[in-house]
Amino acid sequence: MDMSNHHSIDQSIMDYKKGSSHLHEALPEVAGAYFNFTEACFEEGALDKKQKQLTALGISITKQDEYCILYHAKGAAEAGATEAEIMETVAISAALGGGAAFAQGVTLALDAYNHYQGPAAH
């Protein structure tokens, strides 16, 4: 996946949402339960939304889940994460996940974060 093209980042997010909607149409109870569960997990609690997105991003990088990397980098940007916080999340992921986590962190996660952060975001 060439993340230098911002359209492909947006398209990947849209592909995920389209696939999720299709599953929801086919299995509304299963998908609905999953969506309710994940939504509840990301609600503000002892951890704020930014911390939860950064945690999810780190796990996604370590697991090498490209769609979740993009989705949670977007979520972190929208929750007000700084580039320094993204970089520290990448570093922690690399420490636990080795070279693959480092490579995906410094490419996919940073590209998606830069695409969605700040007032210049699309």
Side-chain angles (χ1 to χ4, degrees), residues 71-83:
Y71 194 81
H72 293 295
K74 177 182 186 290
E78 291 172 348
T82 65
E83 185 174 13

Side-chain angles (χ1 to χ4, degrees), residues 88-107:
E88 287 187 21
T89 300
V90 169
I92 292 166
S93 301
L96 297 174
F102 183 84
Q104 289 192 329
V106 299
T107 57

Side-chain angles (χ1 to χ4, degrees), residues 3 51 62 111 117:
M3 290 296 108
Q51 291 169 318
T62 303
D111 286 348
Q117 64 87 29

Side-chain angles (χ1 to χ4, degrees), residues 11-88:
Q11 187 60 52
S12 292
I13 297 287
M14 292 306 299
D15 290 347
Y16 170 77
K17 289 182 178 182
K18 183 179 176 183
S20 296
S21 294
H22 184 69
L23 180 66
H24 191 260
E25 290 171 12
L27 299 169
E29 289 184 25
V30 172
Y34 175 76
F35 296 151
N36 288 338
F37 171 71
T38 57
E39 186 176 315
C41 289
F42 283 91
E43 288 297 318
E44 194 97 12
L47 299 175
D48 65 28
K49 289 183 179 187
K50 180 175 72 171
Q51 291 169 318
K52 289 183 176 194
Q53 288 295 333
L54 290 169
T55 299
L57 177 60
I59 293 166
S60 300
I61 292 168
T62 303
K63 293 183 68 64
Q64 301 175 28
D65 182 339
E66 291 184 13
Y67 286 101
C68 284
I69 291 170
L70 299 175
Y71 194 81
H72 293 295
K74 177 182 186 290
E78 291 172 348
T82 65
E83 185 174 13
E85 290 170 322
I86 297 294
M87 296 296 273
E88 287 187 21

